[in-house]
Amino acid sequence: MRKFPINMHLNVDSFLPASDAEKEYMVQMRPSTTFFRDGVKRLLKNKIATISFIMIIIITLACILIPLFWPYKYDKQLGISLGKPVDPTYANLRPFEYGETEQAKIAAGETVFPHIFGTDSAGRDYFIRVVYGTRISLLVGFFASLIVLVIGMTVGSIAGYCGGKVDIVIMRIVDIIYSLPDMLMVILLSAALNNSGLDKLIQGTVLEKIGLNILSLFIVFGLLYWVSMSRLIRGQILSLREQEYVLAARACGAKPGRIIKKHLMPNCIGVVIISTALQIPSAIFTESYLSFLGLGVNAPMPSLGSLASDALNGIHSYSYRLIIPAVVISLIVLSLNLFGDGLRDAFDPKLNK
Amino acid sequence: MNNNENTPLLEVKNLKQYFDINVGVFKSKPLKAVDDVSFYINKKETLGLVGESGCGKTTVGRTILNLYKPTAGEIWYNGKQIKTKADINEFRKKATMVFQDPYSSLNPRMTVADIIGEPLDVHNLYSTKEERRERILELMDYVGLNSEHASRYAHEFSGGQRQRIGIARALAVNPEFIVCDEPVSALDVSIQAQVINMFDELQDKLGLTYLFIAHNLLVVRHISDRIAVMYLGKIVELADAEEIYSRPLHPYSKALMSAVPVPDPQVARANKRIMLSGDIPSPLNAPSGCPFRTRCPHATEQCAMETPEFKEISKGHFVACHNIDKIN
Ligand SMILES: Nc1ncnc2c1ncn2[C@@H]1O[C@H](COP(=O)(O)OP(=O)(O)O)[C@@H](O)[C@H]1O
Ligand SMILES: [Mg+2]
């Protein structure tokens, strides 16, 4: 023993180095798992989240793959063919009914692909329109969330990391944006954009097909909806910045870039992914009710909201045309929300401490 | 002068660390976490720093390593003042820190190897991946960690093992000086003994110098050559460990020492425990003059007027008190 022997409760013998056997005993540990693998395991245990995830995959695959082989086009009015008068028998077909020329073909022994959901009032196959509408809704949800993520993350991490005056200024701007009525902004923006000559600019691009309204929706998401994301990320970075491991990295001379990349990002990425996942359904929902109000995609491109809106005209005779897109929206939003909740339960370290 | 045996390895002169605290919307007030602290640490020596929680021990350690920019004061290392960015960078290869909380001081998303290897990465201390790996395994061996655990994550380890990982990280750059900030206070008593013993062994093996912070007097006594007692941002007494235990001079040190349990019942009965009245004041509203006067049984008017000087009473024994002669 060096210096003073301990004369108190501590037994001097316990200051001897551990024997090999003791060391061996101390290294009994459970098999190594990474944080990610742990989370996935917990996620898979959650039946509701797993089912929701499968549901999302099925819906996504369906709206990518079905248009590839479906014999009808979403904007093809089946009653109209070149050089012939309009055939009115194609409009408003009920599920599994056929138009006149199709019935003739069937009578001649040919097989005709059925109209599973019938056709709409303009004689377009309704099933493929629902598929396209789902596609649009998913795309809008995904890209709007991506915009929110990129802007929110950049602004939030700058505010959180720099702190001080920068933080105060950014957060006051965020507060102001928070207080703007978002729906009013969407409506005003789409009106402003429609008169801005932007439509000429986007002529011939994919954006034209989707329409200015959706573009203004994206812009509004980009301008307004990032604020809650940036608040969340700022809070995360602020609390992570005070962690001792960040201090330890600074104590050994690590530069800010390294600290952000190695210490701050990996520790808040879980929360970021989760809130992005939860952002998607809210974007889809917004798009749907804007389309329902007539501020969504440009005709003839359908979206689930505009399909539901069109169906209102024939709600008594053709109520299924309203029910189908409504059910699809609910399914998508519900499974995304449940999956997002599952993600949070599985990956948020604060809940599984 | 640089390698003179008599220059202390680290010298701190009149160090001050004030934090600006917002009181009200536009007003801020300085919180004097460390207020005019001076001491030195010789090579291969351990200076223990004790004091109640919140008295500024951690802040002293962090300010020395320039994790907080000092409000005032000088830090000299090996006869050279640490001032410029380049000095600080160079200093960080020689001086490291072991943190108090073995949980929050290890990044939960990094493997043990990456945690221990971080200082190596930052300072580019290896040329090949193989070299890095070998160095990490060597460090793990130093602190008694099994090399098979290199690819595991910190959350899989117990508190004691985590603290060993933190120590291995502090050793990575081959430092001369380590600030140990209450490295065992979060551990079980039985584990505390092992870890302190390890600090002792490492010091002998690697020729380390420690600033060893603790609030447990027993721990510091075992490992320290000299001990500084801190109260409300100031060092009130500093002396050889044996001296401060057998002959504390400052009334605060006396109270602290009297709280240490003694195994001999006769001695214990003779040493009546000195109870301090009241609580430690907030550093935001520190008393005028002597910081300890509000709780000191011997306080006089002079104590409220003047801050006592930190004087050398006998060789190597420093005390800051107006009434030393009267009390003792
Ligand atoms: N970063 C900081 N900002 C503001 N006040 C701080 C900061 N760090 C410590 N303090 C304050 O300084 C005082 C001393 O704290 P600290 O050095 O942690 O004490 P100890 O380690 O002795 O318990 C405390 O009152 C604490 O609230
Ligand atoms: Mg402390």
Side-chain angles (χ1 to χ4, degrees):
Chain A
M1 220 56 252
R2 205 170 75 104
K3 294 165 200 163
F4 323 102
I6 284 206
N7 50 1
M8 303 288 81
H9 324 301
L10 299 180
N11 183 353
V12 179
D13 290 342
S14 60
F15 282 81
L16 294 174
S19 69
D20 282 345
E22 276 175 297
K23 280 184 186 157
E24 198 56 38
Y25 172 74
M26 283 187 60
V27 302
Q28 302 278 328
M29 300 177 83
R30 71 188 172 109
S32 177
T33 59
T34 66
F35 171 77
F36 181 73
R37 249 185 283 161
D38 243 15
V40 170
K41 217 193 267 165
R42 271 194 296 271
L43 189 63
L44 288 178
K45 264 197 210 137
N46 183 341
K47 289 226 171 53
I48 294 175
T50 316
I51 292 171
S52 304
F53 183 63
I54 294 171
M55 203 71 209
I56 295 165
I57 295 287
I58 290 175
I59 293 175
T60 313
L61 284 180
C63 63
I64 293 170
L65 298 178
I66 288 177
L68 296 180
F69 66 82
W70 205 254
Y72 307 111
K73 290 265 165 318
Y74 73 92
D75 54 352
K76 173 83 178 130
Q77 296 180 319
L78 297 172
I80 299 176
S81 42
L82 219 60
K84 284 185 204 159
V86 177
D87 182 350
T89 55
Y90 277 98
N92 294 327
L93 289 178
R94 291 188 173 277
F96 295 101
E97 283 183 354
Y98 297 96
E100 229 167 48
T101 48
E102 284 175 344
Q103 281 171 355
K105 274 189 194 168
I106 292 169
E110 285 180 56
T111 50
V112 172
F113 206 86
H115 306 294
I116 298 178
F117 293 160
T119 59
D120 66 4
S121 56
R124 296 173 290 205
D125 185 71
Y126 201 61
F127 181 80
I128 195 70
R129 286 185 69 73
V130 171
V131 170
Y132 263 87
T134 313
R135 204 186 222 194
I136 290 291
S137 293
L138 284 178
L139 273 179
V140 168
F142 184 75
F143 279 106
S145 307
L146 207 66
I147 292 172
V148 166
L149 173 69
V150 171
I151 299 178
M153 190 146 95
T154 317
V155 177
S157 41
I158 289 174
Y161 193 78
C162 297
K165 295 223 164 58
V166 178
D167 183 33
I168 292 174
V169 171
I170 291 180
M171 281 304 118
R172 288 303 82 73
I173 295 173
V174 164
D175 287 342
I176 293 169
I177 292 177
Y178 237 130
S179 61
L180 296 176
D182 44 354
M183 269 311 115
L184 193 65
M185 293 298 289
V186 180
I187 293 165
L188 288 178
L189 253 178
S190 43
L193 281 176
N194 273 327
N195 296 326
S196 66
L198 200 70
D199 43 349
K200 289 197 192 73
L201 215 83
I202 61 166
Q203 240 165 35
T205 63
V206 203
L207 291 175
E208 190 191 9
K209 266 199 182 155
I210 297 172
L212 269 181
N213 286 329
I214 292 295
L215 203 63
S216 70
L217 186 74
F218 282 149
I219 293 175
V220 168
F221 264 93
L223 286 178
L224 301 181
Y225 282 77
W226 57 269
V227 287
S228 47
M229 179 70 89
S230 74
R231 269 195 179 169
L232 180 91
I233 290 173
R234 167 184 172 267
Q236 285 280 317
I237 299 271
L238 268 185
S239 72
L240 289 177
R241 210 176 55 149
E242 299 302 318
Q243 295 285 317
E244 279 190 344
Y245 56 80
V246 174
L247 215 58
R250 281 181 44 216
C252 75
K255 303 242 158 29
R258 185 190 165 85
I259 290 175
I260 292 177
K261 208 174 96 204
K262 292 271 179 186
H263 297 282
L264 301 181
M265 279 302 151
N267 280 291
C268 70
I269 201 76
V271 178
V272 170
I273 290 174
I274 292 159
S275 48
T276 309
L278 289 172
Q279 184 80 52
I280 297 176
S282 107
I284 289 177
F285 210 71
T286 311
E287 186 278 326
S288 295
Y289 78 81
L290 281 175
S291 292
F292 190 83
L293 294 175
L295 291 167
V297 288
N298 286 358
M301 181 61 83
S303 90
L304 292 173
S306 67
L307 288 175
S309 160
D310 292 345
L312 278 183
N313 295 328
I315 187 148
H316 291 297
S317 354
Y318 309 106
S319 49
Y320 61 90
R321 277 197 217 148
L322 177 60
I323 294 169
I324 292 168
V327 166
V328 176
I329 293 175
S330 313
L331 259 183
I332 294 174
V333 172
L334 188 69
S335 19
L336 279 168
N337 269 325
L338 289 176
F339 179 63
D341 279 348
L343 265 185
R344 187 176 48 210
D345 293 347
F347 283 96
D348 198 334
K350 273 172 218 89
L351 284 172
N352 57 55
K353 234 309 143 55
Chain B
M1 89 192 173
N2 260 14
N3 293 320
N4 187 340
E5 273 303 308
N6 295 327
T7 32
L9 184 69
L10 179 91
E11 189 161 12
V12 173
K13 296 180 184 167
N14 305 97
L15 190 70
K16 291 181 185 171
Q17 181 66 60
Y18 297 173
F19 295 110
D20 275 332
I21 299 293
N22 289 333
V23 288
V25 187
F26 296 110
K27 268 196 295 186
S28 72
K29 200 174 166 184
L31 182 153
K32 301 184 178 182
V34 175
D35 196 10
D36 205 353
V37 159
S38 304
F39 60 85
Y40 62 86
I41 308 177
N42 290 321
K43 289 195 179 85
K44 304 189 184 176
E45 182 191 52
T46 301
L47 176 71
L49 185 60
V50 290
E52 279 166 282
S53 172
C55 70
K57 307 179 297 292
T58 300
T59 310
V60 169
R62 290 182 181 176
T63 310
I64 288 175
L65 294 187
N66 255 288
L67 289 174
Y68 304 141
K69 200 176 172 319
T71 310
E74 295 173 3
I75 296 156
W76 292 69
Y77 188 77
N78 240 338
K80 192 170 173 294
Q81 190 180 358
I82 309 292
K83 249 168 123 177
T84 63
K85 264 213 152 88
D87 292 340
I88 293 172
N89 218 7
E90 204 49 39
F91 182 48
R92 285 191 168 151
K93 289 186 201 168
K94 293 179 187 142
T96 59
M97 183 155 187
V98 175
F99 290 83
Q100 175 172 3
D101 182 354
Y103 292 88
S104 89
S105 64
L106 306 180
N107 186 338
R109 300 284 185 280
M110 278 164 89
T111 61
V112 171
D114 284 338
I115 291 171
I116 298 175
E118 177 156 48
L120 304 175
D121 299 339
V122 168
H123 294 296
N124 275 321
L125 293 180
Y126 54 89
S127 42
T128 61
K129 277 232 148 66
E130 191 49 38
E131 211 177 304
R132 176 179 187 264
R133 220 183 82 84
E134 267 168 26
R135 175 70 181 146
I136 290 170
L137 293 185
E138 183 189 19
L139 287 163
M140 290 179 72
D141 188 50
Y142 274 159
V143 298
L145 286 168
N146 192 318
S147 59
E148 284 157 29
H149 296 159
S151 58
R152 285 172 182 268
Y153 287 80
H155 68 85
E156 302 174 46
F157 294 85
S158 66
Q161 287 172 312
R162 280 166 156 259
Q163 201 55 293
R164 285 166 195 262
I165 298 170
I167 296 165
R169 170 175 61 192
L171 293 173
V173 291
N174 239 332
E176 298 166 340
F177 173 64
I178 302 183
V179 174
C180 312
D181 184 5
E182 302 196 32
V184 297
S185 65
L187 309 178
D188 285 354
V189 174
S190 58
I191 312 271
Q192 282 187 2
Q194 289 176 8
V195 172
I196 289 177
N197 190 51
M198 196 176 72
F199 272 109
D200 229 2
E201 281 174 11
L202 287 170
Q203 183 165 41
D204 290 343
K205 196 149 106 190
L206 305 173
L208 297 168
T209 304
Y210 293 142
L211 171 64
F212 203 97
I213 301 172
H215 66 267
N216 183 335
L217 285 161
L218 287 170
V219 167
V220 209
R221 178 175 188 178
H222 171 63
I223 197 159
S224 307
D225 299 296
R226 290 185 304 136
I227 290 178
V229 178
M230 214 171 154
Y231 186 82
L232 216 57
K234 288 193 161 67
I235 292 184
V236 294
E237 182 162 6
L238 195 162
D240 276 354
E242 198 50 27
E243 167 106 354
I244 216 164
Y245 274 89
S246 56
R247 208 167 68 88
L249 294 180
H250 195 280
Y252 181 61
S253 317
K254 280 179 193 285
L256 277 187
M257 298 311 154
S258 77
V260 175
V262 182
D264 185 340
Q266 270 175 2
V267 179
R269 239 172 277 130
N271 296 357
K272 274 242 322 260
R273 176 141 188 219
I274 306 169
M275 297 300 285
L276 290 175
S277 57
D279 280 329
I280 183 167
S282 151
L284 213 46
N285 306 305
S288 64
C290 173
F292 187 57
R293 70 170 166 85
T294 50
R295 296 168 79 189
C296 181
H298 313 284
T300 60
E301 262 172 44
Q302 189 195 12
C303 299
M305 319 258 275
E306 294 167 38
T307 309
E309 199 189 334
F310 192 52
K311 280 185 307 227
E312 190 162 9
I313 300 290
S314 55
K315 187 166 163 27
H317 195 151
F318 297 82
V319 186
C321 181
H322 289 304
N323 305 319
I324 287 290
D325 304 326
K326 244 184 281 164
I327 298 167
N328 297 292

